Amino acid sequence: AQKITQTQPGMFVQEKEAVTLDCTYDTSDQSYGLFWYKQPSSGEMIFLIYQGSYDEQNATEGRYSLNFQKARKSANLVISASQLGDSAMYFCAMREGRDDYKLSFGAGTTVTVRA
Amino acid sequence: GAGVSQSPRYKVAKRGQDVALRCDPISGHVSLFWYQQALGQGPEFLTYFQNEAQLDKSGLPSDRFFAERPEGSVSTLKIQRTQQEDSAVYLCASSLVWGRIEQFFGPGTRLTVL
């Protein structure tokens, strides 16, 4: 079974607007971590934001925030005030307690920011 | 350098050839990871090192894949008798210690097997 599901293959957003990228996950562990990475066309994965399963507050990092809904097993990424440089592939990933080192990634969502 | 580096950035191999992909992690980083990313997909875990010890190789797709990190720094991923299905981007990542949140990724090596 897929551990991470990203249902939006591609999205367009107008510059300066906000965009929400969906991510749902599947785990039976109580302790896990959720990540979002950005992968521009250059290829390297850039860490954006992290949410621990026991964190009560939603994580925020600058223009990035993570909408964590534990009961629904969702961890959506919100990018506010989109910029042209935000155009990239975005991956949701999870690290589970029993294998607290390796990341399981979703299939990704391509975001294109329009001027 | 400041980040994780990988070489070569691009590799074209004929089916049946052996290839070796190199990863230079960030200096001092204990943990090192290899991932395989097929076109249009997310990365998939291959193997994990803590210093020179290979603690998990459960993601290696076959016994044609072999990884080493003999001195606990540079790592090499070797693929023997390459097949077309091995075509992918191979990403290396490192982190300071086990369990640290952030893994720093390199730019990847794009392998094309003809």
Side-chain angles (χ1 to χ4, degrees), chain A:
Chain A
Q2 284 287 338
K3 293 189 177 184
I4 297 287
T5 302
Q6 295 181 254
T7 57
Q8 306 151 309
M11 297 187 72
F12 291 94
V13 59
Q14 206 64 30
E15 196 177 9
K16 299 180 186 177
E17 291 185 350
V19 61
T20 298
L21 308 183
D22 295 340
C23 172
T24 57
Y25 60 91
D26 182 27
T27 182
S28 56
D29 283 353
Q30 296 301 309
S31 175
Y32 51 90
L34 297 158
F35 302 74
W36 278 92
Y37 280 85
K38 172 184 179 181
Q39 187 176 43
S41 56
S42 58
E44 63 189 274
M45 305 285 281
I46 302 167
F47 168 76
L48 296 178
I49 196 167
Y50 167 80
Q51 179 86 39
S53 59
Y54 294 118
D55 295 341
E56 294 186 353
Q57 304 252 359
N58 285 344
T60 60
E61 289 286 347
R63 295 186 299 110
Y64 304 106
S65 60
L66 198 152
N67 184 1
F68 181 46
Q69 298 188 43
K70 197 169 182 176
R72 298 179 61 185
K73 293 190 173 180
S74 76
N76 298 340
L77 176 71
V78 180
I79 307 174
S80 62
S82 296
Q83 302 172 356
L84 294 177
D86 294 335
S87 294
M89 192 80 159
Y90 289 80
F91 290 96
C92 180
M94 177 172 63
R95 192 169 67 193
E96 296 174 275
R98 58 174 166 259
D99 290 324
D100 192 19
Y101 48 86
K102 61 184 170 185
L103 294 171
S104 299
F105 286 86
T109 297
T110 301
V111 172
T112 304
V113 180
R114 290 170 162 161

Side-chain angles (χ1 to χ4, degrees), chain B residues 2-106:
Chain B
V4 178
S5 61
Q6 293 186 244
S7 61
R9 291 293 313 277
Y10 303 91
K11 176 70 179 178
V12 178
K14 291 183 179 178
R15 191 171 54 184
Q17 282 186 330
D18 298 349
V19 298
L21 313 180
R22 178 188 169 106
C23 172
D24 282 84
I26 294 173
S27 178
H29 277 198
V30 168
S31 299
L32 186 144
F33 311 82
W34 284 97
Y35 292 85
Q36 180 190 57
Q37 185 175 19
L39 187 65
Q41 300 296 316
E44 295 205 1
F45 171 82
L46 293 178
T47 187
Y48 161 61
F49 290 86
Q50 189 170 328
N51 293 307
E52 69 279 3
Q54 189 175 20
L55 299 186
D56 186 341
K57 54 182 181 179
S58 63
L60 296 176
S62 76
D63 58 8
R64 296 185 295 104
F65 286 70
F66 173 76
E68 60 183 6
R69 195 186 184 197
E71 296 178 359
S73 55
V74 171
S75 177
T76 304
L77 176 67
K78 298 178 180 178
I79 309 173
Q80 297 177 324
R81 304 181 305 280
T82 52
Q83 305 293 315
Q84 284 188 322
E85 62 263 27
D86 300 335
S87 296
V89 174
Y90 291 85
L91 294 165
C92 177
S94 70
S95 68
L96 186 57
V97 294
W98 175 87
R100 286 282 291 189
I101 290 172
E102 187 173 352
Q103 293 182 16
F104 295 86
F105 281 80

